[in-house]
Amino acid sequence: MNSCHNKLKVKNITKYYQDILVIDDISIDLNQNEFVSILGPSGSGKSTLFNIIAGLIKPDKGKVIIEGRDYTKVTGRVSYMYQKDLLLPWKKIIDNVALPYYIKGKDKKEARELVKDYFDIFGLKGFEYKYPFQLSGGMRQRAALMRTYMFSKDIILLDEPFGGLDAITKSKMQYWLLGVLEKLKASVLFITHDIEEAIFLSDRIYILSDRPAKVKEKVYIDLPKPRNKDITTSDEFNNIKRHILSIL
Amino acid sequence: MRKFISTEKIKELINKDTKIIPTIFILILLVFWQFVVDIGLIERYILPSPKNIILTLIKILPEIKIHVVATLQEAISGFSIAIILSIILAVLMDSIKIIKKAIYPLLIISQTVPIIALAPLFMMWFGLGKLPKIIVVVLVCFFPIVISLLDGLESVDKDMLNLIKSMGGSKFQIFKIVKFPSSIVSFFSGLRIAATYSIMGAVIGEWLGGKEGLGLYMLRAKHAFKLDKVFAVIIVIVILSMTLFKIISLMQYLFMPWTRES
Ligand SMILES: Nc1ncnc2c1ncn2[C@@H]1O[C@H](COP(=O)(O)OP(=O)(O)OP(=O)(O)O)[C@@H](O)[C@H]1O
Ligand SMILES: [Mg+2]
């Protein structure tokens, strides 16, 4: 599994804000179809790292390599979902989700046609022509996820997508996400500070230190797939959790 | 128990329908006004009673029609010109920071110049036709629209902008997809204020001289000591202003369904 084709390589990224070191020599690998989590305390620099990978910020040192090509400070390659859902309140869900296609210059009819079939997978069937305020928090998050997926279907960055949800919805969404990824075949980089969430979803976890963020350890999660909720009470799961807690 | 429910109901009514309290208050004021004039506490030629005013209004309706049309024409042309100019200026100021730095203080200062002092100059420069009135309307409407639109353009969520950037969107796309739509609510609140100012602006312009318009009609009525006519025209002006205000609100409701919630 791990010798799979490499999709994304973050090489020795260092970033200062003014004179403060925020990211200290971080390297991360993401292989095809892999789900990799980045687990770190609040304010450590995780979102900054994603901004660098997405090409919005230039790192002071290091490179972002995607499929062998240099993508440092180049936007428009990976899809990126922010901590907030950032749906446009004035656009219907279908047009929000089709936003990447509008930006690529497709017209309304074409763009809607391209996204229509995915509403079922993302559990939003019947809500195509609603406005964001008419949806629940969990549905909005799914819509944001769907928009993210529409932009680039191979590499997806998710910055705490379930951070703002209640425990029950969150757990449903995690389970749902695994199911969706089973069908969609994407490589995902996932930020969280929820240990159980990271273990449940990931193939691999990078554990970051406090600011300045450094990779403390890489943890491989060998739990079998497909996973269900029972696994979170198993011994293996708890062992991994104990191990991670001891590192943090 | 019964009483408890009924007070609850009243509270609910008060909370839900904010129109009830002001309506009652205004009615009380009107009754009081009518009473004061009826018992002769104030002479009728100094302050006509509400009943007088309404009767006068009905009587003069046919003769003021032409003046209503003139005032509306000036107000709406001035308002439209102000909208176009404000959009152009706000967009320029927002996209080129140096223009904003240069113009913003000027805009604020311009608001401290009394329009009533400027208007006679416009008469001298542009004559007694519609043009000087339209200019007055543009001047009073311009400011609230520009400021609200600028505020809106500035308060756009930075992450929203980054999102479009991360997808490789161009500057124009960022403006079209995020900036303009997210400032439109603020834009409309400026429009509503400007709409009510527009009629007033036209009336001020006419007040200083001209051939037609509600301002001119009021001026003549005042000179003839026909205070009931003056008040009747004030009512017409209030109704016209409120109607414009409502039309703008209605447009917002129709074209921006996502702002209905809240
Ligand atoms: N534009 C900026 N200028 C200066 N400092 C910044 C800037 N953006 C972020 N920082 C600082 O860099 C540090 C890392 O921020 P970042 O948002 O990457 O953290 P995070 O790990 O995503 O936190 P959280 O888990 O709370 O989202 C923080 O201390 C923050 O104050
Ligand atoms: Mg963050």
Coordinates of all heavy atoms in Angstrom, one line a residue, chain A residues 100-107 110, chain B residues 173:
Chain A
P100 N -16.2 26.0 -8.8 CA -14.9 25.7 -9.5 C -15.1 25.8 -11.1 O -14.2 26.2 -11.8 CB -14.5 24.4 -9.1 CG -15.2 24.2 -7.8 CD -16.4 25.0 -7.8
Y101 N -16.2 25.3 -11.5 CA -16.4 25.3 -13.0 C -16.7 26.7 -13.5 O -16.3 27.0 -14.6 CB -17.5 24.3 -13.4 CG -17.2 22.9 -13.1 CD1 -17.9 22.1 -12.3 CD2 -16.1 22.3 -13.8 CE1 -17.6 20.7 -12.0 CE2 -15.8 21.0 -13.6 CZ -16.5 20.2 -12.7 OH -16.1 18.9 -12.5
Y102 N -17.4 27.5 -12.7 CA -17.6 28.9 -13.2 C -16.2 29.6 -13.3 O -16.0 30.3 -14.2 CB -18.5 29.6 -12.2 CG -19.9 29.2 -12.2 CD1 -20.5 28.8 -11.0 CD2 -20.6 29.1 -13.3 CE1 -21.8 28.4 -10.9 CE2 -21.9 28.6 -13.3 CZ -22.5 28.3 -12.1 OH -23.8 27.8 -12.1
I103 N -15.4 29.3 -12.3 CA -14.0 30.0 -12.4 C -13.2 29.5 -13.6 O -12.5 30.2 -14.2 CB -13.3 29.7 -11.0 CG1 -14.0 30.5 -10.0 CG2 -11.8 30.1 -11.2 CD1 -13.4 30.4 -8.6
K104 N -13.5 28.2 -13.9 CA -12.7 27.7 -15.1 C -13.4 28.2 -16.4 O -13.0 27.8 -17.5 CB -12.7 26.2 -15.1 CG -11.7 25.7 -14.1 CD -11.7 24.2 -13.9 CE -10.8 23.7 -12.8 NZ -11.2 22.4 -12.3
G105 N -14.5 29.0 -16.3 CA -15.1 29.6 -17.5 C -16.2 28.9 -18.1 O -16.7 29.2 -19.2
K106 N -16.8 27.8 -17.4 CA -17.9 27.2 -17.9 C -19.2 28.0 -17.7 O -19.2 28.8 -16.7 CB -18.1 25.8 -17.2 CG -17.0 24.9 -17.4 CD -17.4 23.7 -18.3 CE -16.4 22.6 -18.4 NZ -15.1 23.1 -18.9
D107 N -20.2 27.9 -18.6 CA -21.4 28.6 -18.3 C -22.3 27.9 -17.4 O -22.1 26.7 -17.0 CB -22.1 29.0 -19.6 CG -22.6 27.8 -20.4 OD1 -23.0 26.8 -19.7 OD2 -22.6 27.8 -21.6
E110 N -23.8 24.3 -18.4 CA -22.7 23.3 -18.4 C -22.3 22.9 -17.0 O -22.1 21.7 -16.7 CB -21.5 23.9 -19.2 CG -21.1 23.2 -20.4 CD -19.9 23.9 -21.0 OE1 -19.9 25.2 -21.1 OE2 -18.9 23.3 -21.3
Chain B
Q173 N -12.9 38.0 -11.6 CA -13.8 36.9 -11.1 C -14.0 37.1 -9.6 O -15.1 36.9 -9.1 CB -13.2 35.5 -11.3 CG -13.4 35.1 -12.8 CD -12.7 33.8 -13.0 OE1 -11.6 33.5 -12.5 NE2 -13.3 32.9 -13.9

